[in-house]
Amino acid sequence: MKRGKTMKKKKILKKIVSLFIMVALMINIMPIAEFISVITAYAESTYNLIVDNSNGSGLEANMLSKLGEDNKEYADVSKITITGSMVNTDFDTIKTTLAPYVTEIDISGVTRINNTYSGSSNFGIPSNAFCYNGKTGYSTTLSGGSKYTELIYVRLPESIKSIGTDAFLNCTNLALTSLPEGITTIAMNAFNSCTNLALTSLPEGITTIAM
């Protein structure tokens, strides 16, 4: 047992050493200032907007408040993480403000959607949630010329029971690899035209998939 723990520690140490060597090589290849610039640019390009939406002020107000605190703009957001509660208009807010930029949406920490709560039998993703204006989704040009083609990953609450009609319709770059195990119902066209889905299996508890 002791030998096994020693081997594990050596493997971890080896990984840490390898990482330091890689960083050292990068520093030797490029000037320090340029190296720092590259790291900074990467960090800025992966800004995660973390919003607690449990105070009743509304998602847009909470987003703007957090952006102000972080000295960021909508165009800087590549990921948004939301906790607390959401209503239909909050899903619309994400689409109208962040769709041209955001690649990942994490609502796994949301415990209330409209008037349903985590753990209840009707806790689910509403119809058109990630589909702009009901039909156009993240693949259609808006009046401003921005294309909704960026959304790749969505993390859903583990306790959701259903996914509504047209929820992800036309999210052409969406690359979901799994769905929460508690899902029992997938409504009509929920994933229609999601040509990049990478699902290898469906939750065992699903009883209804509308066609």
Side-chain angles (χ1 to χ4, degrees), residues 138 149-153 170-175 193-196:
Y138 284 81
T149 57
E150 301 303 314
L151 185 63
I152 300 174
Y153 304 108
N170 287 335
C171 293
T172 54
N173 285 329
L174 186 66
S193 298
C194 295
T195 52
N196 269 354

Side-chain angles (χ1 to χ4, degrees), residues 1-169:
M1 187 72 177
K2 188 175 180 181
R3 177 182 172 82
K5 287 184 179 179
T6 302
M7 292 296 290
K8 188 174 182 180
K9 288 181 180 178
K10 285 184 177 180
K11 286 182 179 179
I12 294 172
L13 181 60
K14 187 176 180 181
K15 288 182 180 179
I16 294 173
V17 171
S18 298
L19 180 61
F20 274 109
I21 291 173
M22 183 176 68
V23 171
L25 287 172
M26 289 182 68
I27 292 174
N28 286 329
I29 291 171
M30 65 178 70
I32 295 291
E34 187 177 343
F35 175 74
I36 293 174
S37 177
V38 169
I39 297 298
T40 302
Y42 175 77
E44 290 179 348
S45 69
T46 56
Y47 170 60
N48 179 14
L49 175 60
I50 302 174
V51 183
D52 179 359
N53 199 42
S54 60
N55 60 9
S57 298
L59 182 62
E60 186 169 13
N62 288 325
M63 286 168 59
L64 288 171
S65 175
K66 185 61 177 173
L67 286 168
E69 288 178 15
D70 296 345
N71 195 26
K72 298 288 185 179
E73 299 178 354
Y74 285 132
D76 297 318
V77 181
S78 61
K79 176 182 178 180
I80 181 168
T81 300
I82 302 169
T83 57
S85 62
M86 294 185 74
V87 294
N88 287 338
T89 53
D90 292 333
F91 289 97
D92 292 338
T93 294
I94 297 172
K95 288 178 283 192
T96 55
T97 59
L98 297 180
Y101 321 111
V102 70
T103 60
E104 183 174 353
I105 298 173
D106 184 347
I107 60 171
S108 59
V110 169
T111 56
R112 177 183 177 183
I113 298 177
N114 294 321
N115 292 317
T116 65
Y117 293 83
S118 176
S120 65
S121 60
N122 58 349
F123 185 59
I125 303 302
S127 297
N128 306 320
F130 299 95
C131 171
Y132 187 79
N133 199 27
K135 293 295 178 186
T136 53
Y138 284 81
S139 61
T140 298
T141 303
L142 299 183
S143 58
S146 298
K147 288 188 176 181
Y148 282 5
T149 57
E150 301 303 314
L151 185 63
I152 300 174
Y153 304 108
V154 174
R155 289 192 63 197
L156 303 173
E158 284 298 317
S159 57
I160 66 166
K161 302 298 182 183
S162 63
I163 297 177
T165 302
D166 294 343
F168 294 93
L169 178 66

